[in-house]
Amino acid sequence: MSTDYKFQGWLGKDKDSVKGKMQWEEYEPKTWKETDVDIKITHCGICGSDLHTLRSGWGPTLYPCCVGHEIVGTAVRVGKRVEKGIKVGDRVGVGAQSSSCLKPDCEECSNGLENYCTRVVGTYNGQYPDGSKSYGGYADYCRAPSHFVLKIPDAIPSDEAAPMLCGGITVFAPLKKNGAGPGKKVGIVGIGGLGHFGLLYAKALGCDEITAISRNSHKKQDAMKMGATKFIATDEDKDWAAAHARSLDLIVSTVSSPKMPLQEYLQLLRTNGTFSQVGAPEDPIPSFHAFALIEKGVKIGGSSVGTPDEIQEMLELSAKKGVKPWIQKRPMKEANQAVVDMGAGKARYRYCLVNEAHASA
């Protein structure tokens, strides 16, 4: 069945595309199935993953690639077997994952852990079992399996909902899974696109103390407005690790630089504390002494985005608590410049592309 709309967007053709050299072109979306939803894109957040992928930083990219996995728009075509009662005209979104095997004999999918399925397909730069490719949200339309498409609560504007679908869930999931809430003291490493969500959600979850951890104090004022109750500047505060030793139950690290003082971060944890890494450096993270774990029963781990159920829970909490990400809207037609600005660290704190033709429709 043909459609009366075209799938076209900003395509990265090679590693230089991250330098503002994406090209607007038409492409062939995934093969249509009756479990799919076609989304007319109104908004798409810019994620650090987009830049890593455009430059093949995490491994070879399947060029041509249309990045963007924080997608919000209107359902314009729904299959006969869609989930969640999605209808044409609904405001919906899709995050970083658009498929998994969903088979009953899959240990992950059968236990609500779709994001850890060994056959995950990313919303972009992925390949479905039939060989068709996934294309992301720097575009006019997106086609995605309905299991990973979510209805957006009325209380959340589209430009705010979009960055929640990857940036938000990436920190919400480890916070929630590791017990962040009343009685807990939490640290967030890195006050950027991910880290600012960490502060917002730690506050929304009711944590007793929230410590923002950054290299310098340039973002201290912003961090305190986002919900931080304490601030550590690791390049400025003398003996910060000793001064704040055994003060945190949980640390969520959002930084993507391998040059992190990991040994010192572990000093900040209380007995039985947890360090969760969600930022994904392109190079190995630093080594650390085993006694940093042994002496306090500390755990170190990671977390990858979130399941559809977790994303829905996050959206509902955001609507209830009035969580409002700090975003800057950029026109979809200026995606190349926005990517360059993102790479230069200019975002405060998350860029959201607005497809003006569709957003005003």
Side-chain angles (χ1 to χ4, degrees):
M1 177 181 174
S2 62
T3 62
D4 59 357
Y5 45 86
K6 294 180 179 180
F7 285 83
Q8 51 190 0
W10 289 108
L11 298 183
K13 300 292 190 69
D14 54 36
K15 294 180 180 180
D16 282 345
S17 58
V18 76
K19 300 175 183 178
K21 297 181 180 180
M22 297 180 294
Q23 300 174 35
W24 185 267
E25 292 183 10
E26 190 172 347
Y27 54 85
E28 185 69 25
K30 76 176 290 293
T31 306
W32 172 260
K33 292 188 176 182
E34 291 300 329
T35 49
D36 287 345
V37 179
D38 279 357
I39 303 170
K40 181 171 71 173
I41 299 168
T42 60
H43 298 80
C44 183
I46 295 182
C47 180
S49 304
D50 303 347
L51 279 66
H52 288 291
T53 302
L54 286 173
R55 64 171 172 256
S56 290
W58 289 332
T61 292
L62 300 173
Y63 301 111
C65 177
C66 179
V67 296
H69 56 203
E70 298 178 337
I71 301 167
V72 172
T74 305
V76 292
R77 182 186 180 192
V78 299
K80 297 175 182 177
R81 299 195 305 276
V82 297
E83 300 181 25
K84 306 166 191 168
I86 295 170
K87 303 183 299 296
V88 169
D90 285 347
R91 190 167 60 113
V92 296
V94 62
Q97 181 181 1
S98 62
S99 184
S100 67
C101 76
L102 298 179
K103 293 184 177 180
D105 61 349
C106 172
E107 181 177 352
E108 286 75 25
C109 291
S110 62
N111 285 287
L113 297 169
E114 301 98 318
N115 52 321
Y116 295 114
C117 174
T118 59
R119 284 163 281 188
V120 162
V121 178
T123 297
Y124 62 73
N125 194 44
Q127 199 162 25
Y128 291 95
D130 66 359
S132 58
K133 288 174 61 176
S134 59
Y135 291 88
Y138 293 15
D140 279 340
Y141 292 88
C142 173
R143 177 171 293 167
S146 60
H147 186 81
F148 295 90
V149 177
L150 300 115
K151 292 183 179 180
I152 305 299
D154 292 341
I156 308 177
S158 295
D159 55 1
E160 297 178 6
M164 293 177 179
L165 298 177
C166 178
I169 191 59
T170 294
V171 291
F172 176 82
L175 284 169
K176 189 71 190 303
K177 281 185 284 192
N178 288 292
K184 296 294 184 178
K185 300 177 180 180
V186 172
I188 304 295
V189 179
I191 314 305
L194 289 178
H196 106 283
F197 269 120
L199 298 176
L200 293 172
Y201 283 123
K203 180 180 180 181
L205 289 166
C207 296
D208 283 8
E209 291 183 9
I210 305 167
T211 301
I213 304 170
S214 188
R215 287 175 297 177
N216 55 58
S217 56
H218 295 167
K219 298 177 181 177
K220 180 176 181 178
Q221 188 174 5
D222 286 352
M224 304 307 280
K225 291 177 181 177
M226 292 169 189
T229 58
K230 295 183 178 180
F231 192 95
I232 297 174
T234 59
D235 286 352
E236 298 174 5
D237 298 350
K238 185 178 180 181
D239 299 326
W240 58 271
H244 299 277
R246 295 178 181 256
S247 64
L248 300 173
D249 299 295
L250 168 66
I251 296 173
V252 177
S253 172
T254 70
V255 294
S256 291
S257 169
K259 298 177 182 179
M260 64 177 81
L262 182 55
Q263 182 78 27
E264 287 77 9
Y265 290 158
L266 296 176
Q267 283 185 245
L268 304 180
L269 290 171
R270 302 170 74 182
T271 299
N272 294 324
T274 299
F275 180 93
S276 182
Q277 180 68 29
V278 298
E282 295 177 5
D283 297 307
I285 62 175
S287 61
F288 56 90
H289 296 296
F291 279 104
L293 309 181
I294 295 170
E295 290 180 338
K296 295 185 293 184
V298 163
K299 299 178 289 295
I300 185 168
S303 181
S304 176
V305 292
T307 67
D309 286 345
E310 288 174 321
I311 298 173
Q312 197 66 57
E313 180 184 2
M314 173 198 67
L315 291 173
E316 291 170 4
L317 177 74
S318 300
K320 180 180 179 181
K321 295 288 188 177
V323 174
K324 298 185 76 65
W326 291 31
I327 60 168
Q328 294 167 298
K329 292 184 282 188
R330 305 289 294 265
M332 181 71 75
K333 62 186 178 184
E334 296 178 10
N336 271 314
Q337 186 59 51
V339 164
V340 171
D341 291 346
M342 178 81 167
K346 295 181 179 180
R348 291 293 183 272
Y349 280 82
R350 207 78 180 179
Y351 286 144
C352 183
L353 297 175
V354 181
N355 193 329
E356 293 171 318
H358 293 169
S360 59

